[in-house]
Amino acid sequence: MKRKVFIGLLAMVLMVALMGCATGTKGKLVSSYELAGTTLKMAYNVGKPACDANQLPADKCVQIKKIYNDARATYLLAGDSLILVVEIDDLVKRQAILQEYQNLAGSFTQNTSNLINLLVQLGVIKPK
Amino acid sequence: MDIATATLIINGIIALMTALPQLIASIQAMDIPEEDKQALINRIRTAQASLPIWE
């Protein structure tokens, strides 16, 4: 499992690097958005099975689920902002939406970090 | 997943977020060709659709 996760992460990093080289700055911004979503998905793929198998207390599963769904909602909003960044040609409007995207991306990152930290505390992500 | 891998994930996110202001600054004045716009939008939509709701 550890080897598969490491290989998956390495593949993602390489994908980001290659996409960045091929499409420039705008591609890098979208690639970072994609990678952030993949990270949250990985936390979901670890946490949900543990809850479904009753490996965690019910109240902790409620907490984990809420953090994940909140992070997901923020991620979707950030994506909608990023689409507007791509679509809008007006520089002033684009700058304002970029700031909104940055705020949402920061909030999403915090939620995802909190989720991963909680999974570590609960032992779902185990230390060596 | 062990703590080292989880640390790698978190550090990767932090690195990306740290680079974000520079990316944003360079994209502010950038014109995007129409054909590239749709490709980028499709990638964003695909990423959004990849996250399931936890029922």
Side-chain angles (χ1 to χ4, degrees):
Chain A
M1 179 64 183
K2 180 177 120 177
R3 181 179 174 83
K4 286 183 181 177
V5 170
F6 180 76
I7 290 173
L9 279 173
L10 188 59
M12 289 305 304
V13 170
L14 287 173
M15 182 187 80
V16 171
L18 287 172
M19 283 185 173
C21 293
T23 59
T25 303
K26 55 188 181 295
K28 288 178 184 175
L29 196 57
V30 174
S31 295
S32 69
Y33 178 77
E34 291 169 321
L35 184 57
T38 300
T39 304
L40 180 59
K41 180 76 181 296
M42 291 174 69
Y44 170 88
N45 287 340
V46 171
K48 190 175 188 303
C51 288
D52 289 347
N54 296 317
Q55 295 173 351
L56 298 172
D59 62 329
K60 294 300 180 185
C61 283
V62 169
Q63 184 180 3
I64 293 168
K65 184 168 79 171
K66 183 180 187 316
I67 296 174
Y68 167 80
N69 283 331
D70 287 348
R72 177 184 176 274
T74 305
Y75 184 75
L76 297 183
L77 288 174
D80 291 342
S81 293
L82 192 54
I83 287 174
L84 289 175
V85 168
V86 171
E87 288 179 329
I88 290 178
D89 293 326
D90 182 276
L91 293 181
V92 173
K93 291 180 182 177
R94 184 189 292 174
Q95 183 174 0
I97 296 173
L98 273 169
Q99 183 60 54
E100 177 185 334
Y101 173 73
Q102 187 174 1
N103 293 339
L104 288 168
S107 177
F108 165 81
T109 299
Q110 185 62 56
N111 281 343
T112 302
S113 296
N114 290 343
L115 177 59
I116 292 175
N117 287 337
L118 181 56
L119 291 173
V120 170
Q121 290 172 15
L122 293 172
V124 179
I125 300 175
K126 294 179 173 56
K128 287 186 178 178
Chain B
M1 183 186 298
D2 62 19
I3 191 72
T5 305
T7 302
L8 178 64
I9 294 171
I10 294 171
N11 286 343
I13 297 172
I14 293 172
L16 284 170
M17 297 311 302
T18 302
L20 195 57
Q22 286 76 22
L23 289 173
I24 287 175
S26 59
I27 206 173
Q28 277 177 350
M30 183 178 295
D31 289 329
I32 305 174
E34 286 299 322
E35 59 273 17
D36 288 346
K37 283 186 182 180
Q38 195 53 55
L40 289 174
I41 291 170
N42 289 342
R43 284 173 56 191
I44 296 167
R45 291 286 187 216
T46 300
Q48 289 177 313
S50 71
L51 288 179
I53 298 173
W54 188 334
E55 301 287 354

